[in-house]
């Protein structure tokens, strides 16, 4: 999945307006314009389409954590320059304040049952012997499950 795909799915799932997205970036101390947000949301074939960089998605996810859970004391964390699906998955889990059982329930909604051990492998450090890379399909199913949980009657993106 591209950063733009992830961004679009989060925007749709949580019904975020462009102005709200600009506010979410502000929570991460990143200045963003509605025009920049609109360019990321364009279809890939559109001439005005702009590819979202890892640092921009990381900043959005950091702001999204503050948006959903409240701003913490002190400066927000710096956005990571390198981002992978495991990190995106972890940031979404934190933003939504989900425990392991909550995440497993989301995967059940999309017909993908996981065990606690399989799930915890996604949140381990990359060098750990039980670390498991979160593939695009797994992240896509997690986002789809959240979408079904929050918007059961909405069309699937």
């Amino acid at each position: 999945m591209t950063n733009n795909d992830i961004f679009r799915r989060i925007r749709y799932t949580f019904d975020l307006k462009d102005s709200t997205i600009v506010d979410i970036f502000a929570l991460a101390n990143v200045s963003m314009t509605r025009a920049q947000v609109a360019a990321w949301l364009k279809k890939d074939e559109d001439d005005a389409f702009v590819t979202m960089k890892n640092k921009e998605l990381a900043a959005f996810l950091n702001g999204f954590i503050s948006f959903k859970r409240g701003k913490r004391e002190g400066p927000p964390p710096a956005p990571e320059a390198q981002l992978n699906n495991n990190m995106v998955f972890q940031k979404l889990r934190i933003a939504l304040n989900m425990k392991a059982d909550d995440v497993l329930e989301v995967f059940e909604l999309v017909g993908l049952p996981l065990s606690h051990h399989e799930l915890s492998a996604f949140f381990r450090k990359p060098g750990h012997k039980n670390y498991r890379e979160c593939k695009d399909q797994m992240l896509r199913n997690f986002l789809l499950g959240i979408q079904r949980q929050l918007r059961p009657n909405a069309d699937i993106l």
Side-chain angles (χ1 to χ4, degrees):
M1 290 181 75
T2 68
N3 291 341
N4 295 69
D5 290 335
I6 294 167
F7 184 64
R8 283 185 206 112
R9 287 173 187 265
I10 292 170
R11 179 184 188 269
Y12 177 77
T13 298
F14 294 96
D15 196 23
L16 301 172
K17 306 293 181 232
D18 291 354
S19 58
T20 305
I21 292 172
V22 169
D23 295 341
I24 289 172
F25 273 103
L27 291 171
N29 285 349
V30 175
S31 179
M32 200 57 56
T33 66
R34 290 177 80 164
Q36 288 170 303
V37 171
W40 291 325
L41 296 170
K42 300 270 185 211
K43 297 212 180 277
D44 297 2
E45 307 83 39
D46 195 314
D47 291 338
F49 171 79
V50 175
T51 301
M52 186 177 219
K53 295 179 179 79
N54 285 337
K55 203 165 190 166
E56 294 162 338
L57 181 60
F60 171 74
L61 292 169
N62 290 344
F64 191 62
I65 290 170
S66 296
F67 176 73
K68 296 300 278 181
R69 296 188 61 167
K71 197 156 171 72
R72 291 174 48 183
E73 301 239 348
E80 294 83 358
Q82 295 299 316
L83 198 62
N84 62 33
N85 287 348
N86 293 66
M87 296 166 77
V88 171
F89 190 8
Q90 175 77 332
K91 286 177 181 283
L92 287 170
R93 186 180 71 88
I94 291 168
L96 301 174
N97 201 22
M98 298 178 89
K99 304 292 183 229
D101 288 334
D102 301 326
V103 176
L104 294 174
E105 189 178 301
V106 166
F107 280 111
E108 286 285 337
L109 285 173
V110 293
L112 188 67
L114 292 177
S115 71
H116 280 276
H117 299 292
E118 290 172 310
L119 179 63
S120 69
F122 292 122
F123 304 120
R124 299 203 183 275
K125 294 197 184 291
H128 192 279
K129 68 177 184 165
N130 293 326
Y131 172 80
R132 182 175 168 197
E133 181 184 345
C134 181
K135 304 279 189 198
D136 286 349
Q137 184 177 2
M138 191 63 66
L139 183 58
R140 191 176 297 112
N141 280 314
F142 178 69
L143 290 167
L144 177 60
I146 290 173
Q147 181 180 331
R148 285 185 178 165
Q149 196 174 49
L150 297 175
R151 302 178 74 175
N153 297 327
D155 291 333
I156 302 302
L157 183 68

